[in-house]
Amino acid sequence: EYILRKKAKSYKDFPIAMQLLESSTFIDSMVPLFAAAEIPLLTIHDSVLVHESHADIAEDFMRHALAPLGLYPTIKREEMWLL
């Protein structure tokens, strides 16, 4: 129903609403958790980049931030090589 209401005025409204929700969730909810734990991170769309030693806590923070929204994501870890 929410999706249909958002799309009623313009098909662009729903994707914009989802982008705002995603960005506010990551920036307003997750980043403060990492900052309080003094864990450096980079946010990349719907992902966070942390040192592998912080991967477990990063998953916990993501789940903690998303659960109040009723979101229980499947989290995929990827190893990255940076120059």
Side-chain angles (χ1 to χ4, degrees), residues 24-35 48 58 61-62 65-66:
S24 68
T25 300
F26 273 77
I27 301 302
D28 299 335
S29 299
M30 279 190 257
V31 170
L33 296 172
F34 285 91
V48 293
F61 287 168
M62 291 180 77
L66 295 171

Side-chain angles (χ1 to χ4, degrees), residues 7-76:
K7 287 184 171 184
K9 293 179 186 176
S10 169
Y11 70 93
K12 295 179 182 179
D13 289 346
F14 181 68
I16 291 170
M18 292 298 95
Q19 288 172 344
L20 290 172
L21 177 62
E22 176 185 312
S23 65
S24 68
T25 300
F26 273 77
I27 301 302
D28 299 335
S29 299
M30 279 190 257
V31 170
L33 296 172
F34 285 91
E38 298 183 359
I39 298 173
L41 81 150
L42 296 173
T43 59
I44 306 169
H45 301 290
D46 60 352
S47 304
V48 293
L49 177 64
V50 296
H51 188 271
E52 65 183 313
S53 63
H54 300 298
D56 289 334
I57 193 76
E59 278 194 28
D60 290 344
F61 287 168
M62 291 180 77
R63 292 183 198 288
H64 176 80
L66 295 171
L69 301 172
L71 301 173
Y72 305 94
T74 299
I75 297 175
K76 178 181 162 188

